[in-house]
Amino acid sequence: MSNNPVERRLRRRSVYRSRSTAVSVALVVLVLVAAWIGTESVLRAIGAPPLLADPQTAVDAALAPDAAFVTMIEVIAAVLLVAGIVLVVLALKPGRQHRSVVAHGRGAVVDSSIVASTARNAAGRAAGVPDGHTTASARGLRTEVSVVPMSGIPVDSTAVEHAVAERLGQLDERFGRHVTVRVSEKGSLS
């Protein structure tokens, strides 16, 4: 794998999700609120009528609230609460996408669904079962495969695990290290 800074940055951007959209939206809202407060303050200072609300009138209304003002504040608080929850979820949710970097001269990135599909195909061939009898999932460098054998035909889970590890090792040797194969107790007729 190349250690070129540009290629490393491209691989990182391919594997990790960008949070720039959420940050941009939050900053735009913050700038708009600050611009509104600044505009209202300037309009008050020059004696012009306010755009939405005079800052002094808003402060007076907050100190002696009526029913309409309380309702408006509750709505604004609910909107801010939802926006805050969304931003916290975006901040805490994993930034990693379902992709892995493959040791390749050009810095290739492989989607987890390709790794899972490769594992499922290798398991089906090694077990001697139709495609519909195997499932696989890949997360990072871990791959789990489930095999439903044909009724009356045993499946050697060690041989399947070895075949899957060998096939995934052709993509990248790291993918073949953590393979788990589960063979169902019950078989299927078709």
Side-chain angles (χ1 to χ4, degrees), residues 38-86:
T39 303
E40 293 292 1
S41 298
V42 168
L43 290 175
R44 171 138 173 118
I46 62 173
L51 289 175
L52 297 175
D54 180 28
Q56 186 61 46
T57 306
V59 170
D60 292 340
L63 294 176
D66 61 350
F69 184 78
V70 170
T71 304
M72 183 176 68
I73 291 299
E74 288 173 349
V75 169
I76 292 172
V79 168
L80 290 176
L81 178 69
V82 169
I85 289 171
V86 167

Side-chain angles (χ1 to χ4, degrees), residues 31-122:
V31 166
L32 289 176
V33 168
W36 172 71
I37 290 172
T39 303
E40 293 292 1
S41 298
V42 168
L43 290 175
R44 171 138 173 118
I46 62 173
L51 289 175
L52 297 175
D54 180 28
Q56 186 61 46
T57 306
V59 170
D60 292 340
L63 294 176
D66 61 350
F69 184 78
V70 170
T71 304
M72 183 176 68
I73 291 299
E74 288 173 349
V75 169
I76 292 172
V79 168
L80 290 176
L81 178 69
V82 169
I85 289 171
V86 167
L87 289 175
V88 166
V89 167
L90 286 174
L92 296 179
K93 144 178 138 167
R96 186 170 175 80
Q97 297 189 27
H98 301 290
R99 296 181 185 146
S100 298
V101 175
V102 177
H104 189 273
R106 301 181 122 198
V109 176
V110 175
D111 195 70
S112 294
S113 63
I114 293 172
V115 175
S117 178
T118 302
R120 185 180 61 78
N121 186 307

